[in-house]
Amino acid sequence: MQMSYAIRCAFYQLLLAALMLVAMLQLLYLSLLSGLHGQEEQEQYFEFFPPSPRSVDQVKSQLRTALASGGVLDVSGDYRVYRGLLKTTMDPNDVILATHASVDNLLHLSGLLERWEGPLSVSVFAATKEEAQLATVLAYALSSHCPDMRARVAMHLVCPSRYEAAVPDPREPGEFALLRSCQEVFDKLARVAQPGVNYALGTNISYPNNLLRNLAREGANYALVIDVDMVPSEGLWRGLREMLDQSNQWEGMALVVPAFEIRRARRMPMDKNELVQLYQVGEVRPFYYGLCTPCHAPTNYSRWVNLPEESLLRPAYAVPWQDPWEPFYVAGGKVPTFDERFRQYGFNRISQACELHVAGFNFEVLNEGFLVHKGFKEALKFHPQKEAENQHNKILYRQFKQELKAKYPNSPHRC
């Protein structure tokens, strides 16, 4: 009897061991299967569902580390650059919205975050020591109260080389420390800021627009570089992602996003139907219409507004580049940088578009997406005090075009 009991116990132990072995083998099989398909599934998932944002403490630690570095000087030695006050994790195949602003114009970030669903990178210029301090306090407050900022926004800071930005002192937090929500931060900024034209800084410091643009698009594959007071059409990021993911034929192509400007009193149009209706009654017009019509005329606005409505974003027609066309575009691959010798106002974007052309990029206008600038740009109000710098940049542009001949000796294209 005792022997029979021992045999039964041994049998059950053996059966239990066998069941555990089968379970382990099943887990191993599932793990191997997951390993084979996991990367593809992860890419599909994160395409439209980005990773969870980092914690507030992690973001604040990154801010302190970036500021404690003391920054680095740019090539000219005139500006101090702080990279990565805020950072974002980005799919290498994603499309980043790259922009730049003076501290006061950071107000526009709120609208960009609402319209652009993907990653966003902004380079901020602080012309004075006080503005540099305000910029760091703003980065601290925005990272604390705005989940979208933590999840999707990279922020860099540039100031004159004689200034250094500092970590906000927790013993003197100021009024921003009393804020409890993202909306409160932007409301507070609206009260203390004096938004206007980036170039009209009221100082003798030139606004380094091309340095800021390069910094904002640094490390990105595909990027759409815009001014901070512009708004993209609804769903533009998602449409670009779907289009770019379908094919690898976009190498060497600049996908032009038509740009418009709207009267300030008007609500920003969401889609092409709304935009065209406003365009037909004169409430929306081509970008730079009152300042430099040839700068955007090659986009061929009359052709674009009459294209048949489509559900998918795609290139609609090709346009040969001609001077002085300076379109806003999405491009990947070996995109020439913006020449940082151009500062303030004049020829800073035209020069880069010119080099794209000489480098062999083809320009294709997209069918549905668009950008809208907040307000009409009027000639009489536009940087009258900067005419001298405009003339300097005009001379530099002539020199720049000659330099391109040496840089691309075998190119059949010239500006």
Side-chain angles (χ1 to χ4, degrees), residues 285-296:
R285 67 187 189 185
F287 189 62
Y288 264 33
Y289 184 79
L291 289 174
C292 179
T293 303
C295 290
H296 286 266

Side-chain angles (χ1 to χ4, degrees), residues 321-325 350-359 397-398 400-402 404-405 408 411-415:
W321 186 84
Q322 56 184 285
D323 202 358
W325 192 26
I350 296 174
S351 55
Q352 201 261 356
C354 165
E355 184 167 359
L356 270 180
H357 168 63
V358 176
Y397 183 49
R398 296 195 192 108
F400 175 81
K401 290 192 286 187
Q402 293 300 315
L404 290 182
K405 293 179 180 179
Y408 300 93
S411 173
H413 306 295
R414 291 289 178 261
C415 295

Side-chain angles (χ1 to χ4, degrees), residues 70 264 268:
R264 285 195 178 274
M268 303 300 284

Side-chain angles (χ1 to χ4, degrees), residues 6-22:
I7 292 173
R8 284 200 303 271
C9 285
F11 173 79
Y12 287 128
Q13 288 176 349
L14 183 62
L15 180 61
L16 180 62
L19 290 172
M20 291 181 64
L21 179 61
V22 170

Side-chain angles (χ1 to χ4, degrees), residues 270-290:
M270 302 277 286
D271 55 35
K272 187 173 180 178
N273 283 333
E274 289 186 24
L275 179 86
V276 171
Q277 289 175 14
L278 294 171
Y279 181 85
Q280 290 172 339
V281 296
E283 293 299 303
V284 163
R285 67 187 189 185
F287 189 62
Y288 264 33
Y289 184 79

